[in-house]
Amino acid sequence: MTSTQLFNKSQLIDNLDGDVEFAESLMGDALIEIPQEVVKLQELCKGDDSQIIHLHAHTVKGMAANLCASKLKDICLKIETAAKDNDLKSARTFLPELEQTMLMTIEAIKTP
Amino acid sequence: MEPKTVLIVDDEPLSVKILCHSLEDDYKTVLAQSGREALEIISLKAPDIILLDLIMPEMDGYEVYRQIRNDPSLDAIPVIFITMLESIECEAHGLKMGASDFVHKPFVADLVRLRVKNHLAFSQARNLLEQRSKELQALNRELESMLARVKLLEGIITICSYCHKIRTDKDDWKKLEEYISAHSEALFSHDICPECASQQMKIIENMEWKKR
């Protein structure tokens, strides 16, 4: 896995009109928001409400997409799709990968 | 001139932050974190354009869109749906419903701005066209009414050679002034012409002479 798959900073800056300051402000927000949202998704996956898991996985996927964190986006898509199909067993199998990817993404964002 | 208002409806904070940052230099941005909140804001003051996330808890973007389009007073507001880049299914469904356009995540600030600008321009042009069309319809109605009044006094009118009464469509006879008043905007005031005045004067003098 390449570091840009985890987090593509230059793409993020390009998407934001080259505004480095704003990109870094978003990255700061992401360092707080992403771990919180991933923990929330893990908690939701302990329950049986597939619709709420689908919605929350979609939210984290959107965050990851906007941050140009494509690996995290992909794993969220897998959970979202499984939850949408009411297949919570499959959705839960992706949780270890989700946590690992989230930690690696956070590290990539922190890396100068 | 007051800047146009963009209502951003999204429950995801990073998306909202990026959209606001992309648009706030040119537009007034208003935020709603749910479909219900969006409908409340719209009912208080309709925005000029709406950026609407499709997947939201409680009320999704499709339902918000349906409710907006069910209100004729909001029917002309452009609505741009927010989706993921690969959401072909969502995009097709949105277009079938009549969505103006889409912005995709990850957002590209420049594309967001251009889409909003273009749809506001289309909307403005459409409003102007509708306004002109209403004005033309009003002028047309006025013209038709004027033409109708002119036509009322067209054609051959039968007039009595002796008393100068006019024969109406219903085959009765009306005084000339009564007929013209009923069929035009003209009004009459009574006076006496010099010739008639002279004749009447002679009659009066003749009557007084007879009395003496």
Side-chain angles (χ1 to χ4, degrees):
Chain A
M1 191 192 315
T2 64
S3 63
T4 53
Q5 281 177 303
L6 283 170
F7 173 57
N8 192 337
K9 187 175 176 179
S10 62
Q11 182 66 59
L12 176 65
I13 293 168
D14 278 354
N15 288 351
L16 302 173
D17 301 324
D19 188 339
V20 178
E21 197 181 326
F22 181 61
E24 286 178 347
S25 149
L26 270 186
M27 287 155 61
D29 292 345
L31 290 176
I32 300 164
E33 297 274 351
I34 286 180
Q36 281 177 358
E37 297 303 327
V38 167
V39 167
K40 191 174 169 187
L41 182 56
Q42 288 168 324
E43 287 300 314
L44 288 172
C45 284
K46 288 176 187 167
D48 292 325
D49 190 340
S50 56
Q51 199 189 349
I52 201 161
I53 294 168
H54 163 244
L55 282 170
H56 202 72
H58 178 85
T59 301
V60 186
K61 183 184 76 171
M63 274 185 179
N66 275 328
L67 276 170
C68 301
S70 54
K71 180 67 185 159
L72 185 62
K73 185 198 77 177
D74 292 344
I75 186 73
C76 288
L77 175 63
K78 288 177 188 171
I79 297 171
E80 182 190 0
T81 307
K84 195 178 176 184
D85 295 340
N86 222 4
D87 184 1
L88 292 186
K89 198 177 164 190
S90 295
R92 289 183 192 113
T93 63
F94 297 118
L95 292 180
E97 193 184 345
L98 172 70
E99 185 166 359
Q100 192 193 1
T101 307
M102 181 267 286
L103 293 171
M104 289 163 73
T105 304
I106 294 296
E107 277 310 306
I109 292 172
K110 283 180 181 171
T111 305
Chain B
M1 199 170 63
E2 205 177 312
K4 301 276 183 194
T5 306
V6 183
L7 173 63
I8 298 168
V9 190
D10 200 324
D11 62 325
E12 197 266 282
L14 292 187
S15 286
V16 171
K17 191 170 178 175
I18 296 171
L19 291 173
C20 281
H21 183 78
S22 307
L23 298 167
E24 66 194 1
D25 285 348
D26 303 312
Y27 308 102
K28 181 184 171 191
T29 52
V30 179
L31 312 177
Q33 288 187 312
S34 69
R36 215 165 290 282
E37 192 186 350
L39 291 174
E40 279 172 19
I41 290 171
I42 294 166
S43 71
L44 293 174
K45 192 175 187 304
D48 295 298
I49 191 165
I50 301 170
L51 292 178
L52 177 62
D53 190 19
L54 284 176
I55 315 288
M56 290 185 293
E58 291 175 38
M59 186 188 287
D60 65 20
Y62 298 118
E63 181 54 30
V64 177
Y65 182 79
R66 257 190 295 272
Q67 293 204 24
I68 292 170
R69 287 296 179 250
N70 279 342
D71 183 340
S73 68
L74 306 173
D75 196 40
I77 301 176
V79 178
I80 298 179
F81 283 160
I82 299 170
T83 63
M84 293 293 292
L85 190 58
E86 62 270 23
S87 301
I88 295 166
E89 198 184 321
C90 288
E91 200 158 326
H93 186 50
L95 285 171
K96 275 183 201 158
M97 287 179 78
S100 303
D101 206 346
F102 289 83
V103 289
H104 302 108
K105 295 177 188 178
F107 297 133
V108 178
D110 201 29
L111 294 180
V112 171
R113 271 193 300 275
L114 284 170
R115 284 196 156 91
V116 168
K117 185 184 165 196
N118 285 349
H119 285 286
L120 280 171
F122 291 150
S123 168
Q124 204 171 354
R126 194 171 77 165
N127 290 344
L128 195 66
L129 201 64
E130 275 174 14
Q131 192 188 326
R132 290 278 183 274
S133 166
K134 278 181 192 164
E135 284 170 8
L136 279 174
Q137 280 171 10
L139 281 171
N140 198 35
R141 275 196 298 273
E142 200 179 320
L143 190 65
E144 277 175 359
S145 147
M146 285 166 76
L147 280 171
R149 286 204 294 272
V150 170
K151 275 180 191 170
L152 285 171
L153 289 176
E154 269 186 356
I156 295 170
I157 296 171
T158 309
I159 187 163
C160 170
S161 308
Y162 297 97
C163 69
H164 295 142
K165 279 185 178 172
I166 302 279
R167 190 163 69 194
T168 69
D169 299 343
K170 290 171 189 163
D171 215 20
D172 57 352
W173 293 83
K174 290 219 185 264
K175 282 183 183 171
L176 180 63
E177 64 264 38
E178 214 177 298
Y179 184 85
I180 292 175
S181 289
H183 292 80
S184 75
E185 296 287 298
L187 295 171
F188 287 87
S189 75
H190 288 94
D191 203 341
I192 189 161
C193 69
E195 199 178 324
C196 291
S198 162
Q199 274 177 10
Q200 292 300 316
M201 195 54 83
K202 275 179 192 167
I203 291 168
I204 292 165
E205 281 170 5
N206 199 20
M207 281 167 73
E208 283 181 354
W209 183 80
K210 275 182 181 173
K211 272 185 198 172
R212 270 186 261 143

